[in-house]
Amino acid sequence: MSVDVTTPLPPTPDEVLRGVFGFSAFRPLQRAAVDHCCAGRDVVVLMPTGGGKSLCFQVPAVVAARAGRGPTVVISPLISLMKDQVDALLGKGVRAAMLNSSMDELEQMRVEANFLTQRLDLLYLSPERLAAPSFQRMLQKTPVALAVVDEAHCVSQWGHDFRPEYLTIANGLHAVRERGAPMMALTASATHDVVTDLVQRLRLRAPTVLRGGFERPNLSFQVLHRSKDAERLEHALTVLERWGLRGAHSPHRAILYAATRQKVEDAAEHLSSRGVAVGAYHAGLSDAARERAQRDFALGRRPVLVATNAFGMGVDQPNVRAVIHLQAPGSLEAYYQEAGRAGRDGEPAECLLFYGPGDVRTQQALHRKGKVTRNQLDHKDASLQVLVDYAHAQDCRQVFMVRHFAGADAFTSPCGRCDVCTRPHDVRAMLEEGEARKRAKASPANVTPLPDQELAVVLGAAHALRKPVGKLTLAKALRGSNAADVRRKGLLKLPQHGALAHHSEDSLVVAIERLLASGKLVRKGVKYPTVWPANKAVRGAREDSPDADTTPRRRRGRGVSPLHATLLRWRQQTARRLKWKPYMVMPNATLQAIADEKPQSLETLLCIRGLGPARVERFGEELLRLTRGH
Ligand code: ADP
Ligand code: ZN
């Protein structure tokens, strides 16, 4: 059946689907969303990118407008996103328009007139425009059939794309809602926190929450643990080559995500030098440069694009065959959304995530940029932890994601395409290797013992010292650090400086302690213990350099004091109990500060950098018990 303009009856959703959009059937979730919405209920639609969210509100919008109930207002965060949808709708004969600052005044007035006279089916706006008094006055005068909030996770601080202007939406829609218009909120981000938050902040009324299948049957996910950017790029090149993406005018596309602008530039330059027609995209470029990159990518002049997460929302490039994350993003939500830009045409595509501990540190640093509350920070760190877990999972990657987004009880079966499904042994080997490396770096309880020839290097370094130094300073020097204490003690010139850079600081401290225990090194200095080769005279009367006396005492000889060791053990146990990573319980620097300061009251605890009220409230008493014991 097609839409018959001569009948007085307004078209049904199925008629609009076929007659206007040219599809033969709704997908199951779309059907549910449309039905609930047409029945006047509030609806939350959680569906992965490419799942077909737009149709969920576009069909009810057309149905309502043709029934004379007025236009639908769609709040959308980006002009590019609005423009794509409006253009597509106009192409189908739907009366769609948008209002935003990129339009000239005459155009805006024309759209407003059409809105006021109900000659529009859908009007797309930014939250700012919705809140503008001039638009609020218009809303008072016009019936609105349905209010839609697209990319609704932007209202939640727990989402990966919080936009403060989204907080004004509920007020902006107040008049419309008072007159009974239902609301539909849509997002591809579906964690429990985000959903709870958006229901509350958008003031949805007893909404039906529809959760889409988060499986993407044409995508094969893979994680590779690699630390070096160069190795990652080499591997990425082989993927690009496999898709014939080393030259221009390929029918395929690939997106490479990098964590920072600098990394984008570096990767693009490297790939370009290797003959890849590659563009770069990040928020630091001019509008014109970004548009050019996007156009070159779409047209296939530069079929490979390296980008930060600034690229993507609203990108609907169907033939992306690979999405490669050169650095891990900040959360599994962000990863899923970005990786989900692969294979929107339904053809096979691959999603490769490179992962290394350095990525976690980069994301933690990014999390700490700008103004964030401790609570937000804790949440971001926890979201990051999920991504870390994903990278270490030995379950099917799709199953992991579906369980995360749709709940642990979601019915799903292994995909048969991801690395875990197809090469479980390789994945296990990769993880075990990483574990071994991590153990070597972790707490003093898990250090790698140095082989004899390397112990000899440590001893050699001690012999090359001109004056006794603290064992941590010596360990740092052996690792190649140029920290202030290493510089001050003149250890940059030590022949062994950097000779044991492949070992963790803790491993080296333990090695030094072993040399002390065996008597090959001795302790010098009483107040501030330093190390020195046995049977070697210290030149000059002082055992310590005069300038060192001006350095803060607590920084000296810091290795692992008994209290520090206790704190490390406590952190390990707490992390295990809470199923957190140790750094989430407390960063190293904070732990060190507590060991140095030995705070005896909650007040003094609060003064320790990196503790903050939330952690003090949670762990304060336990910490005091430990510090008071020392
Ligand atoms: P999302 O907004 O969830 O990322 P879109 O609304 O852009 O997804 O839809 C993704 C793709 O699926 C589009 O190419 C769209 O035309 C197609 N699509 C959506 N619904 C249907 C349907 N019922 N039948 C066939 N194709 C559909
Ligand atoms: Zn799988």
Side-chain angles (χ1 to χ4, degrees):
M1 216 192 297
S2 68
V3 182
D4 182 350
V5 287
T6 62
T7 63
L9 280 178
T12 64
D14 289 276
E15 287 165 349
V16 170
L17 178 74
R18 285 192 289 270
V20 177
F21 292 93
F23 294 129
S24 53
F26 281 113
R27 292 171 181 165
L29 205 89
Q30 289 175 331
R31 155 74 64 199
V34 168
D35 286 351
H36 278 93
C37 175
C38 289
R41 297 207 51 171
D42 283 1
V43 184
V44 179
V45 178
L46 312 167
M47 218 190 254
T49 307
K53 281 188 289 298
S54 345
L55 224 54
C56 295
F57 62 86
Q58 287 171 347
V59 169
V62 172
V63 169
R66 305 225 167 145
R69 296 209 309 275
T72 288
V73 172
V74 185
I75 315 302
S76 177
L78 296 179
I79 293 176
S80 60
L81 216 75
M82 296 182 200
K83 192 167 170 355
D84 291 348
Q85 292 212 3
V86 169
D87 288 347
L89 288 169
L90 289 173
K92 296 186 168 83
V94 176
R95 299 173 304 173
M98 58 181 186
L99 274 180
N100 63 50
S101 51
S102 78
M103 302 158 61
D104 67 43
E105 222 150 289
L106 199 65
E107 263 181 294
Q108 297 191 33
M109 281 165 64
R110 204 174 295 135
V111 171
E112 286 168 2
N114 284 336
F115 178 67
L116 285 168
T117 53
Q118 298 189 50
R119 276 177 298 188
L120 279 184
D121 299 329
L122 292 106
L123 177 63
Y124 286 76
L125 333 146
S126 64
E128 292 92 334
R129 177 58 66 106
L130 173 70
S134 59
F135 190 77
Q136 284 294 315
R137 279 194 295 278
M138 274 190 275
L139 274 186
Q140 299 286 354
K141 294 183 218 155
T142 322
V144 167
L146 168 67
V148 175
V149 182
D150 204 2
E151 308 289 352
H153 60 276
C154 294
V155 79
S156 170
Q157 295 180 17
W158 308 144
H160 51 85
D161 198 12
F162 173 58
R163 287 167 189 253
E165 62 275 17
Y166 257 61
L167 295 174
T168 64
I169 292 178
N171 279 340
L173 289 172
H174 183 74
V176 172
R177 301 278 282 155
E178 282 291 281
R179 283 180 271 135
M183 191 185 314
M184 186 184 288
L186 307 99
T187 174
S189 180
T191 56
H192 184 73
D193 289 345
V194 171
V195 175
T196 317
D197 223 15
L198 75 84
V199 165
Q200 193 196 341
R201 294 187 177 199
L202 295 175
R203 287 185 225 140
L204 288 156
R205 300 171 187 152
T208 306
V209 179
L210 299 167
R211 226 176 256 274
F214 278 80
E215 286 96 342
R216 291 288 302 277
N218 59 322
L219 302 188
S220 52
F221 290 92
Q222 189 192 355
V223 179
L224 271 179
H225 290 235
R226 293 278 185 284
S227 287
K228 298 199 174 69
D229 284 345
E231 273 181 60
R232 295 175 176 194
L233 278 169
E234 265 327 290
H235 192 97
L237 265 169
T238 65
V239 175
L240 297 179
E241 245 159 30
R242 201 163 58 238
W243 290 105
L245 278 166
R246 197 124 174 209
H249 305 294
S250 165
H252 303 311
R253 301 285 183 278
I255 304 172
L256 281 70
Y257 280 103
T260 63
R261 296 170 187 185
Q262 189 58 49
K263 296 235 185 231
V264 167
E265 305 266 349
D266 293 349
E269 198 180 299
H270 180 82
L271 292 174
S272 173
S273 77
R274 299 289 297 273
V276 178
V278 60
Y281 187 107
H282 58 70
L285 297 170
S286 67
D287 288 352
R290 281 207 308 271
E291 271 163 35
R292 195 179 329 116
Q294 192 154 1
R295 206 169 43 242
D296 285 351
F297 178 67
L299 297 176
R301 284 197 289 255
R302 291 171 191 273
V304 176
L305 187 66
V306 191
T308 57
N309 59 4
F311 178 76
M313 201 191 265
V315 173
D316 194 8
Q317 182 73 30
N319 53 344
V320 176
R321 297 274 69 86
V323 172
I324 302 174
H325 279 76
L326 291 171
Q327 285 85 34
S331 67
L332 193 62
E333 285 76 37
Y335 179 64
Y336 186 78
Q337 195 149 38
E338 286 161 12
R341 299 196 171 111
R344 298 196 58 164
D345 52 8
E347 297 296 318
E350 58 187 294
C351 307
L352 170 59
L353 170 68
F354 283 108
Y355 174 86
D359 297 301
V360 177
R361 289 192 290 273
T362 304
Q363 289 300 332
Q364 285 171 327
L366 291 174
H367 287 173
R368 278 151 184 78
K369 265 170 76 172
K371 254 192 12 219
V372 278
T373 65
R374 175 145 305 276
N375 202 15
Q376 285 169 337
L377 206 54
D378 284 349
H379 196 279
K380 284 180 173 196
D381 285 346
S383 300
L384 179 59
Q385 186 52 43
V386 178
L387 188 90
V388 174
D389 292 345
Y390 170 80
H392 291 90
Q394 296 203 39
D395 301 322
C396 166
R397 308 277 178 206
Q398 291 246 8
V399 168
F400 189 99
M401 289 198 257
V402 171
R403 293 245 164 89
H404 176 68
F405 292 115
D409 50 353
F411 178 80
T412 178
S413 47
C415 72
R417 287 176 318 280
C418 72
D419 52 350
V420 177
C421 284
T422 55
R423 287 171 283 113
H425 298 299
D426 292 354
V427 173
R428 196 161 322 128
M430 174 178 84
L431 293 178
E432 277 164 10
E433 200 178 304
E435 270 307 309
R437 258 202 307 271
K438 210 162 62 199
R439 261 199 307 280
K441 284 189 155 184
S443 61
N446 315 319
V447 290
T448 24
L450 266 61
D452 287 340
Q453 69 268 30
E454 289 185 334
L455 272 180
V457 175
V458 179
L459 196 58
H463 275 279
L465 291 172
R466 285 175 42 240
K467 295 190 181 94
V469 299
K471 56 189 173 187
L472 188 69
T473 308
L474 181 58
K476 280 192 201 159
L478 287 163
R479 290 208 71 220
S481 154
N482 61 358
D485 49 347
V486 176
R487 281 202 309 272
R488 229 177 9 240
K489 302 278 181 188
L491 299 188
L492 292 180
K493 282 185 255 145
L494 203 66
Q496 292 83 353
H497 182 263
L500 298 177
H502 53 292
H503 283 290
S504 69
E505 231 166 55
D506 287 333
S507 295
L508 294 173
V509 168
V510 168
I512 295 168
E513 277 165 347
R514 194 167 308 144
L515 291 170
L516 283 166
S518 68
K520 295 202 170 89
L521 292 181
V522 291
R523 288 184 200 280
K524 293 273 167 184
V526 182
K527 227 159 130 198
Y528 311 111
T530 52
V531 296
W532 190 247
N535 313 322
K536 185 176 169 183
V538 179
R539 255 184 300 158
R542 303 182 65 114
E543 292 184 348
D544 222 329
S545 60
D547 54 344
D549 288 339
T550 63
T551 63
R553 291 290 168 241
R554 62 182 193 82
R555 290 267 152 230
R556 306 278 310 288
R558 64 185 205 183
V560 267
S561 65
L563 175 57
H564 193 187
T566 309
L567 288 167
L568 281 165
R569 257 196 316 280
W570 166 81
R571 179 172 74 165
Q572 200 71 34
Q573 286 158 359
T574 309
R576 211 170 301 132
R577 176 164 55 82
L578 296 173
K579 295 199 166 49
W580 290 8
K581 293 280 154 173
Y583 69 79
M584 295 174 69
V585 177
M586 207 142 295
N588 281 331
T590 309
L591 219 55
Q592 177 75 59
I594 298 172
D596 288 345
E597 309 278 358
K598 303 189 183 61
Q600 303 290 315
S601 70
L602 287 176
E603 289 69 42
T604 37
L605 260 183
L606 266 169
C607 298
I608 301 240
R609 259 190 76 198
L611 259 184
R615 277 202 176 93
V616 169
E617 190 178 327
R618 184 157 198 164
F619 302 124
E621 292 298 341
E622 288 175 61
L623 287 172
L624 288 179
R625 234 186 21 251
L626 298 177
T627 55
R628 283 175 188 147
H630 284 264

